[in-house]
Amino acid sequence: MGEEIKVIVFTLGSEEYGIEVDKVQTIERMMPITRVPKTYSFVKGVINLRGVVIPVIDLRGRFSLPEVEPTEQTRIIIVAVNDMQVGFIVDSASDVVDLNSDSIDSPPEVVGGIKAKYLRGVAKLSEERLLVMLNLSEVLNKSEIIQLEGLEE
């Protein structure tokens, strides 16, 4: 038997994605983002959250999905990746589910246009509901992390 893991469910377009709860620090409403020059197009800038400067990434841009205007539902999920905090802009963050790690299958090559290296796998929640699990360390690769760490200073 695999272990039970808690997962935060969020959406980008019509797809549902998951990040393990233990990697998520907080989920915030959309807030003003300070643009930073000379960064990747999907890096929207930085926010000051309770005195901490946090780089913010638009996951739609990261996954080459069409960008959309923020709505009431738009959220910034603050995650900890390799000892740094990063905010991910998502269309909505809906709920928390319990998953058995055995229910996560390895990802197909491309899911919804997103390359498999960004994905940890796909979990089947029910007959109709699949959850795409993100591989956070790949969503931010080493060179991007180095560039983002420069933003924090």
Side-chain angles (χ1 to χ4, degrees), residues 43-57:
V43 177
K44 290 299 162 201
V46 294
I47 56 173
N48 184 336
L49 187 63
R50 296 183 265 292
V52 180
V53 175
I54 299 174
V56 175
I57 288 176

Side-chain angles (χ1 to χ4, degrees), residues 8-151:
I8 290 189
V9 178
F10 67 91
T11 61
L12 293 174
S14 59
E15 301 288 328
E16 288 189 304
Y17 297 86
I19 300 178
E20 293 93 331
V21 166
D22 60 6
K23 297 197 169 64
V24 174
Q25 296 182 316
T26 171
I27 298 176
E28 302 290 333
R29 290 183 171 273
M30 213 41 198
M31 59 183 70
I33 297 173
T34 305
R35 288 225 171 259
V36 179
K38 295 187 180 138
T39 54
Y40 296 98
S41 60
F42 56 82
V43 177
K44 290 299 162 201
V46 294
I47 56 173
N48 184 336
L49 187 63
R50 296 183 265 292
V52 180
V53 175
I54 299 174
V56 175
I57 288 176
D58 186 341
L59 274 189
R60 279 178 163 272
R62 181 66 176 115
F63 296 152
S64 305
L65 298 170
E67 287 193 30
V68 294
E69 285 298 310
T71 67
E72 271 296 299
Q73 306 306 312
T74 304
R75 295 290 180 266
I76 301 176
I77 299 179
I78 310 293
V79 297
V81 183
N82 304 338
D83 296 330
M84 72 177 280
Q85 291 181 312
V86 179
F88 290 141
I89 299 174
V90 300
D91 294 353
S92 69
S94 49
D95 55 359
V96 176
V97 295
D98 290 317
L99 276 186
N100 187 310
S101 58
D102 288 349
S103 71
I104 300 174
D105 296 322
S106 56
E109 272 311 293
V110 173
V111 176
I114 297 169
K115 290 192 192 81
K117 74 171 188 172
Y118 298 137
L119 309 177
R120 179 173 151 197
V122 177
K124 190 172 181 178
L125 297 180
S126 67
E127 284 306 312
E128 300 85 47
R129 199 169 170 205
L130 291 177
L131 190 63
V132 180
M133 296 295 297
L134 288 192
N135 178 346
L136 287 184
S137 55
E138 281 300 329
V139 171
L140 293 174
N141 66 36
K142 289 261 186 300
S143 65
E144 291 162 0
I145 289 172
I146 289 164
Q147 187 178 9
L148 290 176
E149 282 173 342
L151 297 181

